[in-house]
Every structure is written in C-alpha cells, then in structure tokens.
C-alpha cells in the first residue's frame, strides 16, 4: 500500500482510471476465454467424434458455473474487496484452462472446462465491474460501467479471431495454450497494481470532491457505511425479479444461443471458419460502441427505456438470422446484434445500485447475474439439442427472437424510481421504498 500512495499523487489523472484499466483487462481475459466455446465446438467434433449436443452440454455447464460464481464473487468482493476476488478467480481460470488443454475424455472436459473454467471466468464477470465502478466513481459511474462492460465484447473481438487463427494453424490445444499464457501474465499485474477502495491510497472516489463530499481518507459517502442488503431482503422487491427475468432472457439470447452456436451455424451453412469468427469479432467491435453508449445514456435517461430498446433490437436481429445466406447478410447481423449484446448491463447495474445501494451491488447483482447464466445454460443445451433433432438452428433463433421481446416487456414492468446523485437514498434491508 505504501508504494501506491506516491504513485497516485504523481499521476496526472485519478487512480480510479488505473483501477478501471486493470479491471477491464481482467474482465476482457475471462470473457474472451469463456467465449471460446464457439470456436471449440467444431474442432472437438472432429478430434474426438463427440456430437454437438454432448459438447453443448459441457458449454452449458460452463455458462451455468459462470453464473454460480457471480453471487460468490459478489459476496467476496463486498466483504474483502475486488483485488482478492480477481486473483482467486484468475488462478482458478488458469487451472481450468490447463486441465482442458491436457484432457482426453468427456468427463475431463466437463470438469475442467465446464466447472472449473466457468467458475474462474464468472468470478471476473460483470458483477466485478459493478462493484468496482460503484466503489471508485461518484461521477460518471454510468460511463465507467459502460467501459468495463465493453471489456466482454473487446475480449471476443481480440480472442475469437486470434484463437480461430491459432486453431486453424496449430489445433485447438495450441489455442488454449495461448489463452493459458495470457491468464498467467495477468496474475502479477493484478497483485502489484490493483487496489480495493480509493481510501486505501488516501483518495475520494472520482468526482466526489466536485459533489461536495469531505476530503481525506475514509468512506466517501454516507452509503459507504450502510449495511449490506441480504438476498432475502432484495428478493422481497419486485424490481429484483423483473431484473432477474429480463436477465434470464438476455443470457438465453446472447451467450447461450448466439455466443455458443453462431459459429457452428455459420459453418453448417458453408461459411469459412475465419469468416464466422470475423463475424463474432464484428459483433465485439459494435458491442464496444453499444455498451459505451448504454453506459453514457444510463447517466441521463430512465434505464428502463434503454432495456426496452435493446431487447427490441435484439429480437429483430434474431428474427432476421435464419434468412441470412451470404456474407454481407451475416456481417449485417453481426453489426445489429453486436450493438445490443452487452448493452443491457449498464442499465441493469444502474437500477440495481439505485434500488439496493452501492455497497450491495456485488451481492445483489451477483444473484441477478446468476439468472442470466441460467438462461445461457438452458439456451446453449436447448439450441444444441434442436440442431441435433432438426438438423438446423432455425427454430432456435426464432424462439430467441420471441424471448427477446418478452425481455423488453419485463423491463417495462419495473416500477420507476427517481435517480439520485448519490446512494444516500438507496434502499436498506428494512427500507420501505418500492422496487
């Protein structure tokens, strides 16, 4: 800690931006490796002779564990800070990737990729972004959330084309070896430079001084001393269930359906492997724009309106996908779907923080995120089973489009709550505010 204070004082910018950069890189790594499911399906079919439903089941477990890790990581982050959660999760991810790299049987694939890698990647998912942004930012919180949640799409943008190129040249084990090296490189960087809270280095959260909060170390706002909202108290609010339902739909239509099955679908229809991976890269690039925009808008307009628009756009793109038969149409789908892929995250995080308080975001949002991953797991195995039974993904994509419209309807059901400049009015466990 003693070495970080002079560094923080010498920087021409707030140390919060260093923390954002470290969290961004960590989330990028975890999300990029988790999204490798799409590029692994076809090579594993060829190498081991496993059918698509079997491989999809392992990816379904991975997605579910990705969600199970969220409330655990959220609770650990709320109690011990994000630094420990990041180190533990990345270490677990390294074990999972290493085990997958040397696997030879289905049960090993299920254990190392499905369970261990899923838990490791899930520990540095968007629940971490929520906790970091709310600890380090009083102003521009929505922008910070947008930046952090664009890390997932940036991970896809960087990892998927790169992994596909390595897999084509050196096989799927070569791709996983590269992923393992990246994870191991991140561990010392996190250990040396990550900090839990601004008061650890004698700072206020970014923008706190401009908001008139007292200077000096210690809690930056009254809400910092507020007790954590237990899950049983959060579950009594309708907002918790509307957000969980909308996030179930989000996970089913994004990571579960498109994230797992778009590349195999494209290969089924005769698109080259690199073209399919490039489409996911386009989605990642557009999602960087869409997520940043959603974060910026979350500071300015009702987050419910953002959710409704995003789900409507997603539904339209999924209805379009079964009728795409050329590269131009596939890239157009990538642009449209990419704009809304993670754009749900900043408004959901904003609604969670405004309703339950910034110190409870990690715990409460972790449970909401679990519903996202349950939806992802259901869709991953469901779409794979439909492909085996019907020989095509058409009905899986059309069902996904319908689900997206239902997600927009759930967002409309959230009771409006007046946005506040700080978390002083956020609900406490015994609060009477409506959710």
């Amino acid at each position: 800690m003693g070495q970080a204070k002079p560094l923080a004082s010498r920087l021409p910018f707030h140390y919060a931006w260093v923390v954002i950069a470290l969290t961004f890189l960590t989330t990028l790594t975890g999300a990029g490796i988790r999204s490798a499911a799409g590029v692994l399906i076809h090579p594993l079919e060829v190498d081991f002779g496993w059918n698509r439903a079997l491989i999809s089941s392992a990816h379904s477990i991975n997605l579910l564990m990705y969600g199970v890790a969220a409330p655990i990581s959220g609770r650990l982050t709320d109690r011990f800070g994000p630094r420990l959660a990041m180190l533990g999760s990345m270490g677990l991810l390294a074990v999972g990737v290493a085990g997958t790299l040397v696997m030879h049987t289905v049960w090993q694939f299920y254990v190392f990729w499905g369970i261990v890698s899923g838990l490791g990647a899930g520990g540095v998912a968007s629940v971490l972004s929520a906790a970091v942004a709310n600890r380090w930012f009083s102003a521009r919180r929505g922008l910070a959330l947008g930046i952090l949640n664009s890390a997932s799409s940036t991970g896809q943008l960087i990892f998927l084309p790169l992994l596909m190129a390595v897999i084509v040249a050196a096989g799927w084990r070569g791709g996983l070896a590269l992923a393992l090296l990246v994870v191991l490189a991140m561990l010392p960087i996190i250990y040396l430079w990550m900090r839990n809270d601004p008061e650890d280095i004698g700072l206020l959260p970014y923008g706190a001084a401009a908001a008139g909060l007292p200077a000096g170390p210690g809690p930056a706002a009254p809400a910092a001393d507020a007790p954590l909202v237990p899950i049983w108290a959060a579950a009594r609010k309708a907002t918790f269930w509307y957000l969980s339902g909308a996030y179930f739909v989000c996970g089913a239509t994004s990571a579960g359906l498109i994230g797992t099955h778009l590349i195999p679908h494209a290969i089924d229809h005769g698109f080259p492997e690199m073209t399919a991976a490039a489409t996911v890269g386009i989605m990642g690039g557009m999602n960087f724009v869409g997520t940043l925009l959603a974060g910026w808008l979350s500071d300015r307009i009702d987050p419910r309106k953002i959710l409704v628009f995003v789900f409507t756009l997603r539904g339209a793109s999924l209805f379009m996908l079964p009728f795409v038969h050329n590269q131009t149409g596939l890239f157009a789908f990538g642009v449209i779907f990419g704009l809304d892929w993670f754009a749900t995250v900043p408004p959901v995080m904003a609604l969670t923080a405004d309703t339950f308080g910034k110190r409870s975001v990690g715990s409460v949002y972790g449970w909401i995120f679990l519903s996202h991953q349950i939806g992802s797991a259901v869709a991953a195995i469901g779409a794979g089973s439909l492909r085996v039974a019907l020989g095509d993904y058409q009905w899986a994509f059309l069902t996904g489009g319908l689900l997206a419209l239902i997600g927009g309807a759930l967002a409309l059901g959230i009771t409006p709550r007046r946005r506040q400049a700080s978390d002083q009015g956020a609900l406490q466990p015994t609060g009477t505010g409506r959710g």
Side-chain angles (χ1 to χ4, degrees):
M1 297 294 179
Q3 294 180 345
K5 289 184 180 180
L7 172 63
S9 64
R10 292 197 306 268
L11 291 175
F13 48 83
H14 198 285
Y15 199 79
W17 297 110
V18 176
V19 171
I20 286 291
L22 293 172
T23 308
F24 182 93
L25 290 173
T26 304
T27 303
L28 179 153
T29 302
I33 292 173
R34 189 218 57 77
S35 66
V39 299
L40 287 176
I41 287 179
H42 189 256
L44 292 178
E45 283 182 318
V46 173
D47 197 359
F48 292 105
W50 301 336
N51 68 43
R52 194 160 300 181
L54 189 68
I55 298 171
S56 296
S57 297
H59 292 318
S60 177
I61 294 172
N62 179 282
L63 290 167
L64 182 59
M65 291 300 102
Y66 192 80
V68 168
I72 299 172
S73 176
R75 191 67 175 174
L76 289 174
T77 299
D78 286 342
R79 287 190 173 274
F80 303 109
R83 183 169 178 259
L84 178 62
M86 291 164 70
L87 288 171
S89 297
M90 294 299 282
L92 195 61
L93 181 59
V95 171
V97 174
T100 307
L101 182 61
V102 298
M103 72 173 184
H104 294 283
T105 62
V106 172
W107 74 264
Q108 292 171 334
F109 184 43
Y110 279 25
V111 169
F112 288 112
W113 182 260
I115 298 175
V116 181
S117 294
L119 288 172
V124 291
S126 55
V127 64
L128 173 69
S129 301
V132 168
N134 281 283
R135 283 169 178 258
W136 282 86
F137 286 82
S138 288
R140 298 188 181 179
R141 184 187 63 180
L143 177 61
L145 286 170
I147 292 171
L148 289 178
N149 286 290
S150 69
S152 295
S153 59
T154 306
Q156 293 173 180
L157 179 65
I158 294 173
F159 270 85
L160 287 186
L162 179 60
L163 287 176
M164 180 62 83
V166 174
I167 287 171
V168 169
W172 63 269
R173 295 186 193 274
L176 287 183
L178 174 63
L180 179 60
L181 289 175
V182 174
V183 176
L184 293 176
M186 284 301 304
L187 287 169
I189 295 174
I190 297 167
Y191 179 80
L192 290 173
W193 302 108
M194 184 65 191
R195 295 295 179 265
N196 290 325
D197 293 285
E199 54 263 32
D200 291 346
I201 50 177
L203 298 176
L204 290 171
Y206 179 87
L213 296 174
D225 292 328
L228 298 179
V229 177
I231 187 59
W232 59 262
R236 293 167 59 185
K237 302 299 177 183
T239 295
F240 175 84
W241 294 106
Y242 279 119
L243 290 175
S244 296
Y247 242 26
F248 178 94
V249 171
C250 179
T253 52
S254 59
L257 180 58
I258 296 301
T260 303
H261 294 286
L262 177 64
I263 290 178
H265 164 76
I267 293 173
D268 284 348
H269 284 262
F271 291 98
E273 292 178 340
M274 288 306 300
T275 298
T279 301
V280 179
I282 289 172
M283 289 165 57
M286 296 310 301
N287 188 47
F288 184 86
V289 176
T291 307
L292 283 179
L293 180 60
W296 182 79
L297 289 173
S298 292
D299 288 330
R300 290 161 174 80
I301 65 175
D302 186 345
R304 298 177 309 148
K305 295 179 180 179
I306 302 172
L307 286 176
V308 172
F309 176 78
V310 166
F311 276 121
T312 302
L313 185 65
R314 182 175 300 182
S317 64
L318 288 171
F319 286 133
M320 157 192 168
L321 183 56
F323 308 102
V324 169
H325 300 292
N326 56 55
Q327 181 173 305
T328 301
L330 189 64
F331 285 174
F333 168 81
V335 170
I336 298 171
F337 194 91
L339 285 171
D340 64 64
W341 192 325
F342 286 92
T344 58
V345 179
V348 169
M349 286 182 175
L351 288 166
T352 303
D354 289 342
T355 304
F356 302 106
K358 73 176 185 178
R359 286 294 182 181
S360 297
V361 168
S363 300
V364 177
Y365 178 79
W367 286 99
I368 294 172
F369 185 75
L370 175 57
S371 70
H372 182 283
Q373 293 309 115
I374 292 173
S376 299
V378 170
I381 192 170
S385 298
L386 281 174
R387 164 63 176 75
V388 171
L390 303 177
D392 196 271
Y393 286 108
Q394 177 173 329
W395 284 105
F397 294 139
L398 294 177
T399 302
L402 180 61
L403 280 175
L405 298 183
I406 293 173
L410 288 171
L412 284 175
I414 298 173
T415 302
R417 179 175 175 84
R418 182 171 62 88
R419 303 299 306 280
Q420 300 180 12
S422 73
D423 288 312
Q424 296 183 34
L427 289 182
Q428 305 303 323
T430 56
T432 58
R434 295 185 62 189

